[in-house]
Amino acid sequence: MYAIETHNLYKTFGWFLSKRKVHALNNLELKVPENVIYGFLGPNGAGKTTTIKILLGLVIPSKGHSKIFGIDTHDPDTRNHVGFLPENPKFYPYLTASDFLDFCGKIIHMDAMERSKRKDELLEKVGLTHAANQKMEGFSRGMLQRMGIAQALISDPDLIILDEPITGLDPMGRADIKRILLELREEGKTIFFSSHILSDVERMCDMVGIINHGQLIEHGSLDELRSDIGVNIHTTGVASNALMEGEKLCDYITLKNGEAIFTLTNKSDKDTVMKFISDNGGSVIRSVKLQEELEAFFLRRIQNDEKAREEEVN
Amino acid sequence: MLGDIKTVAQGTFDRYFKMKELYVILILCILNIAALSRYDVLTLNMGKEFMIDGALAILTVVALITSMAVIFEKSRELREKTAHFIITKPYGRSSYIWGKFIGISFLAIFNMAILTAGALIVFKLTSYENVMANNLATEFIYAALLITAEAIVLTALGLFFSMFLSDTITALMVLVFFILGHSFYILEKMSSESSKIFGWVSDILPNLHNLDLKSAITDNITITQDVLGYGLLYAVLYAVAFVAASSMIFSRKDIS
């Protein structure tokens, strides 16, 4: 069973007879397995937020189905299994962190004792125990975002949907959110989030999906998606006077901790380099595959998609 | 669902209850009512009537402003995504609309109670002993109750219009309906035995004249409990119908 599943999903905004219709989703097919961190990527206006809103019942699809843990999202009960953090949310500034979580607990019918226990647990999880009795009007952006995650977790959901959770945070704030998300995955939760900060997505996500013009154009694990762009061969014992010669065979050589690292792109001849290493008294410690960065992959994939669409129009 | 509605209503009411500005406005209103006692000479000894009329007018203006709070409150919470914490929960949308309506209705009741109590104290403290005589205090309370009911009707109308219109246009629509609502009784007068359609139309539009006892009290016309009962029943049914319609629309609406 998938945590999230959409089939033939369409969403068009605009009045029935309006000429200015916006096709936000166009046959979106998405499958997110359980217990992964899934990064949902795409340029502005690609349909990320619309997809999230459909999953949460905030927007009604024009056509198609979406399911959460196998249940159609038309069924309001699906929302019992989901925690949600919207993009740039505002909180009631006159409430303290503790009062706000209490309010969220009341909405999902927790009794007073359960609420008290749960809010203490959550404040500790997001590192805000010290601010439990402070009014949220004085909270920093990072603290507010952590409060947002705490409220999303109030019902101990199996699926957590976050819309741009790390956008606008400083490095410390981003590190906090990353830590929390990784901990949640360890607890067996599924995390589905949209983001523009690809370096963070690359470090956190098990899987990514790329959406453009309302269609999923890529989906899979990072290893599956990114192309190999070369290899780093870590060696020891290569005669130092031979390294200048060796650099002509590969892209460059780095000396680090007594190792000579030969960096080869796909254009280099790996066999020649290996022979060179052994001929000069060296031995290979390990080879590390080099993959293109997610950002490069993302840009390449979006550009290809745009080009294909243009060609289709012409 | 009732629990959700109570939570949202309590949250909405608490938000205003904790606002210092609200109390400043209410105190200023009571001082304003007290200031009306100074107009006895200027009104050629009609100071008593002027004071009662003025007090009820102030109550009406506060009721109108209170009812408009729901428009801006709902819209702000949706814009700032505070509402998303509630409406993404199961059955959250209906609970949110009913909760907002009940929260603002309680705020209207609270405001009217403070102003009515303040006005009655002012009447007692001023030299107009006869204001409190002849059941006038009771009738003033009846009038305040119907003004509260009017605030509840306008809150329901505001919620309904906010489903389709922007904040400003909705507020203007509520203002227009407030003004016209007090004039729709003309249609009622056009109604005859053979054609009751004007009477029905005036009740649907809404007919806020049903909730207006200002002239009756000032003119010393005795107000019966039937009039009060009819007014309150009309307001409750009218408000419930519009909030139910708003809730149904909101449940099927895309939240951008």
Side-chain angles (χ1 to χ4, degrees), chain B residues 102-240:
Chain B
I102 293 171
I104 296 293
S105 297
F106 269 100
L107 178 69
I109 293 168
F110 175 78
N111 287 347
M112 292 302 114
I114 297 270
L115 287 182
T116 306
L120 291 175
I121 291 167
V122 167
F123 295 162
K124 186 87 181 158
L125 293 178
T126 52
S127 53
Y128 297 111
E129 295 291 333
N130 55 350
V131 171
M132 303 301 286
N134 303 327
N135 280 334
L136 243 160
T138 312
E139 293 191 347
F140 187 85
I141 292 170
Y142 284 178
L145 270 173
L146 288 187
I147 292 170
T148 310
E150 187 175 338
I152 292 170
V153 168
L154 292 172
T155 302
L157 272 177
L159 258 181
F160 182 74
F161 289 129
S162 72
M163 297 294 144
F164 322 98
L165 305 170
S166 68
D167 308 355
T168 317
I169 304 289
T170 302
L172 283 172
M173 284 297 281
V174 170
L175 185 65
V176 166
F177 267 79
F178 169 76
I179 295 165
L180 292 178
H182 282 276
S183 318
F184 285 145
Y185 70 95
I186 297 165
L187 290 174
E188 205 175 14
K189 284 186 177 172
M190 288 162 73
S191 175
S192 62
E193 277 299 311
S194 55
S195 169
K196 288 188 172 172
I197 193 156
F198 288 113
W200 296 335
V201 169
S202 75
D203 282 340
I204 290 166
L205 278 174
N207 188 350
L208 296 179
H209 190 66
N210 289 336
L211 309 172
D212 191 356
L213 298 181
K214 285 188 282 294
S215 315
I217 290 184
T218 315
D219 297 337
N220 275 330
I221 297 168
T222 307
I223 295 156
T224 62
Q225 286 190 347
D226 288 352
V227 173
L228 178 73
Y230 175 75
L232 289 177
L233 185 68
Y234 172 76
V236 168
L237 290 177
Y238 197 89
V240 165

Side-chain angles (χ1 to χ4, degrees), chain A residues 11 13 53 56-60 76-77 79-80 84-95 100 103-104 106-109 148 151 154, chain B residues 1 3-4 7-8 10-12 14-15 18 73 77 80-91 93 96 100 251-256:
Chain A
K11 178 64 193 176
F13 291 103
K53 284 183 172 174
L56 292 158
L58 291 171
V59 165
I60 296 155
D77 281 340
R79 261 104 72 193
N80 281 324
F84 173 55
L85 171 68
E87 185 184 1
N88 293 328
K90 294 259 172 69
F91 297 84
Y92 297 111
Y94 59 93
L95 287 183
F100 179 66
F103 172 75
C104 294
K106 276 184 189 169
I107 291 173
I108 55 160
H109 311 139
Q151 69 74 32
I154 190 88
Chain B
M1 189 174 168
D4 299 352
T7 308
V8 177
Q10 200 176 347
T12 307
D14 281 356
R15 180 179 154 76
K18 288 176 182 168
E73 167 98 2
E77 287 197 349
E80 294 182 349
K81 295 171 190 158
T82 324
H84 288 41
F85 300 129
I86 301 162
I87 59 180
T88 51
K89 304 286 184 278
Y91 306 106
R93 292 210 200 184
Y96 182 75
K100 282 286 150 203
S251 298
R252 288 158 180 76
K253 195 174 149 70
D254 286 343
I255 310 289
S256 54

Side-chain angles (χ1 to χ4, degrees), chain A residues 100-298:
Chain A
F100 179 66
L101 290 180
D102 195 63
F103 172 75
C104 294
K106 276 184 189 169
I107 291 173
I108 55 160
H109 311 139
M110 279 179 152
D111 63 43
M113 233 165 75
E114 208 182 345
R115 287 200 306 269
S116 168
K117 193 178 154 211
R118 187 76 184 134
K119 70 186 178 191
D120 289 346
E121 280 172 10
L122 289 174
L123 287 170
E124 195 184 329
K125 186 186 276 291
V126 299
L128 285 174
T129 307
H130 65 283
N133 297 316
Q134 281 176 28
K135 283 190 178 174
M136 290 192 288
E137 62 191 353
F139 277 19
S140 68
R141 182 86 200 268
M143 288 167 87
L144 287 174
Q145 206 69 341
R146 281 186 279 159
M147 268 311 293
I149 291 181
Q151 69 74 32
L153 297 175
I154 190 88
S155 61
D156 195 19
D158 300 314
L159 170 66
I160 298 135
I161 298 179
L162 313 157
D163 196 4
E164 304 280 356
I166 39 187
T167 305
L169 296 181
D170 62 16
M172 294 286 284
R174 279 160 52 191
D176 279 336
I177 302 293
K178 274 189 278 181
R179 175 188 58 78
I180 295 166
L181 297 188
L182 291 170
E183 277 175 17
L184 288 170
R185 186 191 47 193
E186 292 304 306
E187 290 170 19
K189 313 279 186 203
T190 307
I191 296 145
F192 179 84
F193 77 98
S194 66
S195 181
H196 282 121
I197 303 174
L198 300 182
S199 54
D200 287 335
V201 172
E202 195 164 19
R203 273 182 225 121
M204 277 193 290
C205 290
D206 305 301
M207 294 183 80
V208 294
I210 299 179
I211 184 173
N212 195 28
H213 295 287
Q215 279 180 321
L216 198 70
I217 55 169
E218 282 293 352
H219 162 89
S221 71
L222 285 169
D223 274 351
E224 285 167 10
L225 295 177
R226 293 181 299 181
S227 311
D228 292 344
I229 54 167
V231 64
N232 266 350
I233 303 171
H234 293 247
T235 65
T236 183
V238 180
S240 53
N241 55 0
L243 290 176
M244 289 278 275
E245 190 64 28
E247 205 156 33
K248 291 175 188 165
L249 303 172
C250 63
D251 277 57
Y252 52 89
I253 297 171
T254 318
L255 296 173
K256 196 176 173 187
N257 303 329
E259 293 178 3
I261 306 164
F262 290 70
T263 300
L264 286 73
T265 59
N266 290 336
K267 290 173 198 162
S268 313
D269 183 353
K270 193 177 171 188
D271 293 339
T272 314
V273 175
M274 295 299 265
K275 188 172 179 301
F276 172 81
I277 293 165
S278 66
D279 287 352
N280 286 281
S283 55
V284 174
I285 303 169
R286 63 184 181 279
S287 289
V288 179
K289 203 165 67 173
L290 294 177
Q291 287 188 309
E292 74 179 324
E293 286 186 354
L294 180 61
E295 190 167 323
F297 171 72
F298 175 81

